[in-house]
Amino acid sequence: MKKILIINTGGTFSSVKSAGGLTPGLGEHDILEELKVVAKDCQLEYEDFCSLDSANIMPRHWAELAARIEEASREYSGIVVIHGTDTMSYTASMLSFMLWGVPVPVVITGSQLSIAHPVADAMENCRAAIHMANSRCPGVFVAFNRRILLGVRASKVRTMSFDAFDSINYPDVGEINAFGMRIHRELIPRRTAVRFLADTSYSPKVMVVKPAPGTPPEIFDAMVNLGCRGIVVEAFGLGGLPFEENDLCGAVKRTVEKGVAVAIGSQCRYDGSSLSVYETGRRALEAGAMEMYDMTTEAAVTKLMWLLGKDLTMEELREKFGENLVNEVTPRDGQ
């Protein structure tokens, strides 16, 4: 019988009502008894990693969780991580990089309602996560609303619907329907044949800028002064930034010249950027920006954090950021 480890980090899944609102509070006995109902032929083991609303999950938790998963991957056939939905896609993206080459399925799930609620989605999400963890498909995934998403492509797109997550610019890697669980293995990155070790180095000094018309260029100077080493910019349309009044292209150039990595994508969730089409994008490229293409913001932020934790020159960082490592990006030909 395959052994599956359930790692609980908190979130709505294990929440209870309190005077201050919903807060993580259910423990091992409450959760494990419920999950055994959907485990079928899997032997479940459980551990509490932390008990946090996912808004309180920090980059240090990602590194600690990745290290624990590396250790557990030697003993278990698969690992399920219970996590709050609000920052689940950031955790899934960072674990995709930190656990690059992991030999077992690592499946992150959660719910919009606590497992204690009589009409919760928690049991169905966990059923999907447990059976994906039992699939022998190595990698990092998100299981939600009977869909299996590649972790580095998942993004929360709805606040209240049970269908809270989408796979951005990439097909679902699996789904559950009347025929059972169907997994599209050709969409899952192939595991390299090297010995797996978690790579948990990172820099948290990455910020996100989402400009509006009239955003002052000085915002980039302020972030440099705060010690930022990387900035992810959600620009307009295909990736354009103003260069006349409120010259953000000029601000990007000054920022890059100070040794700060700047990545530019689109405010639009789907289809991705193409900075070479308009002058507003070309000037940003000429200023030294890196292009996000069809990466999610979550993937770009965590990939940049992860790369900044390495001893890379700026040129090496730029090259690595543009590489497709775990199916997080689809670069366009000729760019």
Side-chain angles (χ1 to χ4, degrees):
M1 183 178 289
K2 293 181 184 177
K3 287 200 304 179
I4 305 295
L5 177 64
I6 310 291
I7 300 177
N8 185 25
T9 70
T12 300
F13 187 99
S14 54
S15 287
V16 294
K17 287 184 179 179
S18 71
L22 284 173
T23 185
L26 298 178
E28 176 176 357
H29 176 76
D30 308 291
I31 294 173
L32 199 52
E33 286 304 307
E34 295 281 355
L35 294 185
K36 284 178 180 177
V37 175
V38 300
K40 296 297 183 185
D41 59 344
C42 302
Q43 177 185 337
L44 298 185
E45 295 186 14
Y46 173 97
E47 65 183 52
D48 283 312
F49 176 80
C50 59
S51 185
L52 294 172
D53 185 298
S54 70
N56 289 317
I57 295 284
M58 296 290 120
R60 69 174 180 84
H61 295 114
W62 298 333
E64 293 164 7
L65 184 57
R68 174 62 189 117
I69 290 171
E70 179 201 311
E71 183 180 300
S73 69
R74 305 185 193 110
E75 184 180 351
Y76 295 91
S77 301
I79 297 159
V80 172
V81 178
I82 296 172
H83 195 288
T85 60
D86 288 352
T87 64
M88 184 188 292
S89 50
Y90 284 96
T91 297
S93 291
M94 182 58 102
L95 289 182
S96 298
F97 297 117
M98 288 185 168
L99 299 175
W100 189 12
V102 65
V104 301
V106 178
V107 191
I108 306 168
T109 194
S111 63
Q112 295 287 66
L113 284 172
S114 167
I115 197 170
H117 197 289
V119 295
D121 55 334
M123 291 291 282
E124 280 304 319
N125 290 341
C126 262
R127 186 196 305 272
I130 288 168
H131 289 281
M132 185 63 191
N134 195 29
S135 70
R136 299 185 184 274
C137 291
V140 178
F141 309 94
V142 167
F144 218 89
N145 197 43
R146 302 192 176 208
R147 300 167 65 191
I148 308 298
L149 316 179
L150 197 63
V152 79
R153 292 285 189 162
S155 189
K156 187 173 183 181
V157 297
R158 300 174 187 89
T159 58
M160 292 182 284
S161 170
F162 285 163
D163 192 19
F165 287 82
D166 271 357
S167 182
I168 307 300
N169 300 318
Y170 200 79
D172 293 359
V173 298
E175 67 274 335
I176 297 173
N177 55 32
F179 298 101
M181 177 179 280
R182 183 183 180 195
I183 301 170
H184 308 287
R185 295 174 186 267
E186 72 279 5
L187 297 173
I188 297 172
R190 291 186 178 181
R191 180 176 174 260
T192 54
V194 297
R195 180 170 175 261
F196 166 64
L197 289 172
D199 185 348
T200 60
S201 59
Y202 70 94
S203 170
K205 296 181 178 180
V206 175
M207 294 289 290
V208 178
V209 176
K210 185 175 183 176
T215 294
E218 290 79 15
I219 193 167
F220 286 88
D221 302 313
M223 285 189 288
V224 172
N225 292 337
L226 286 170
C228 284
R229 298 182 59 203
I231 300 173
V232 171
V233 183
E234 294 184 352
F236 306 125
L238 287 171
L241 291 174
F243 58 83
E244 293 183 353
E245 293 182 51
N246 293 68
D247 180 11
L248 296 188
C249 288
V252 168
K253 188 174 189 297
R254 292 196 307 274
T255 302
V256 171
E257 287 173 347
K258 292 175 181 177
V260 177
V262 178
I264 296 181
S266 175
Q267 291 182 8
C268 303
R269 192 176 290 276
Y270 294 98
D271 298 336
S273 64
S274 188
L275 270 62
S276 64
V277 174
Y278 295 102
E279 187 177 3
T280 51
R282 291 186 179 187
R283 283 182 177 245
L285 284 175
E286 291 165 2
M290 305 179 294
E291 183 162 5
M292 287 165 52
Y293 297 101
D294 63 349
M295 268 189 273
T296 65
T297 296
E298 297 95 327
V301 167
T302 53
K303 187 176 186 178
L304 192 50
M305 284 182 172
W306 184 68
L307 290 173
L308 286 168
K310 317 287 177 270
D311 186 20
L312 301 175
T313 65
M314 185 57 72
E315 275 308 306
E316 289 170 334
L317 186 147
R318 292 173 63 85
E319 182 179 345
K320 283 290 183 185
F321 188 84
E323 284 183 23
N324 179 29
L325 303 178
V326 288
N327 287 22
E328 77 279 8
V329 64
T330 312
R332 292 179 174 84
D333 292 340
Q335 295 186 356

